[in-house]
Amino acid sequence: MVHGIRLIAGEILIGMDFLLYTLLAATTTPTPVPDDTYNSPGTVGFLVTFAVAGIAVFLIFDMNRRVRSTRYRAEVREKLAQEELENLTVEKPERPAPPAKPNRANQEPDQAQ
């Protein structure tokens, strides 16, 4: 099966072969340098990574300690507030005596106008 016209003598390719040839000619493959084939962070990279991991672990433990102490303080405050409410006695104030009702039995008939 032929995918296009191919003239080998003039190096002219037509069709799908031409497209493939053009793409292959356009992409260049880099030549590997022997020194760049082994990429490693080395001892310094390992130490820096180890230090970052150690700091992260320290921060997690420190955060956990601070959250725990804050929670304990809140629990103690809550208990103290509860005890204060239990010891608090509320006394009702004495109410004043209601006003005396007027004595209407002693009214005279002439004054009723």
Side-chain angles (χ1 to χ4, degrees):
M1 183 178 254
V2 178
H3 292 290
I5 301 172
R6 185 184 280 195
L7 297 174
I8 298 174
E11 295 183 18
I12 298 174
L13 302 174
I14 300 174
M16 293 298 288
D17 293 335
F18 177 72
L19 180 63
L20 180 63
Y21 178 76
T22 306
L23 288 175
L24 288 176
T27 59
T28 58
T29 57
T31 56
V33 178
D35 295 339
D36 288 341
T37 57
Y38 182 69
N39 296 324
S40 173
T43 307
V44 175
F46 173 75
L47 292 176
V48 169
T49 304
F50 188 76
V52 168
I55 290 170
V57 168
F58 170 74
L59 287 174
I60 290 169
F61 279 116
D62 185 54
M63 180 192 63
N64 195 11
R65 180 182 57 86
R66 289 176 189 263
V67 168
R68 189 180 312 124
S69 66
T70 304
R71 188 178 67 228
Y72 289 156
R73 283 187 202 136
E75 288 176 3
V76 168
R77 286 186 192 129
E78 192 175 300
K79 286 180 183 179
L80 289 174
Q82 185 66 28
E83 288 176 4
E84 189 175 328
L85 283 176
E86 290 173 358
N87 293 335
L88 184 66
T89 57
V90 178
E91 297 178 6
K92 292 183 180 179
E94 292 185 22
R95 293 177 59 170
K101 292 183 180 178
N103 189 1
R104 297 181 188 204
N106 293 339
Q107 288 182 356
E108 295 179 12
D110 291 339
Q111 294 176 354
Q113 295 177 352

